[in-house]
Amino acid sequence: MKPTEIQFALNLEALSAPQCRRIVEVLVQDSQTLKDLSKLCKLTPASIERHLEILIEAGLVKFRSVDGVNKAYLQTTKFKPTLDWFSGLNN
């Protein structure tokens, strides 16, 4: 498989969980701490951690330190194979 096909498969698998999709919807707006994600997604901290791990393994989310605080953020370029596929459905 090509790297883009692998990423496409990883994206679909990760986004099959509604909790992961909820996290992505929140992170589209801005990077967030685990605590803030838990509040905004209305999920327990344990659920956030479990589903973030899925998103991290797919390469869709990473953490970075912002002013000494670790925040999750989206790797938006990793969504490209999936977006390209969906765009191709209209042709």
Side-chain angles (χ1 to χ4, degrees):
M1 275 213 259
K2 296 177 187 176
T4 56
E5 292 170 333
I6 293 169
Q7 188 62 55
F8 175 74
L10 290 170
N11 291 358
L12 289 182
E13 184 177 343
L15 296 173
S16 67
Q19 299 90 336
C20 289
R21 292 193 304 272
R22 194 175 317 163
I23 291 168
V24 168
E25 289 168 355
V26 168
L27 292 178
V28 162
Q29 304 301 315
D30 198 7
S31 59
Q32 301 291 335
T33 64
L34 289 174
K35 183 177 179 180
D36 289 339
L37 273 175
S38 182
K39 287 180 187 176
L40 293 167
C41 294
K42 297 180 179 152
L43 296 168
T44 66
S47 182
I48 290 290
E49 287 183 22
R50 183 171 47 256
H51 290 92
L52 272 175
E53 186 59 38
I54 293 168
L55 294 166
I56 290 167
E57 286 179 16
L60 298 175
V61 172
K62 284 196 172 184
F63 276 89
R64 69 174 162 219
S65 181
V66 178
D67 297 326
V69 177
N70 282 334
K71 291 189 173 186
Y73 69 98
L74 288 181
Q75 290 284 94
T76 54
T77 59
K78 297 292 185 173
F79 287 88
K80 186 174 179 354
T82 309
L83 294 172
D84 288 348
W85 184 81
F86 278 111
S87 294
L89 293 177
N90 292 329
N91 296 332

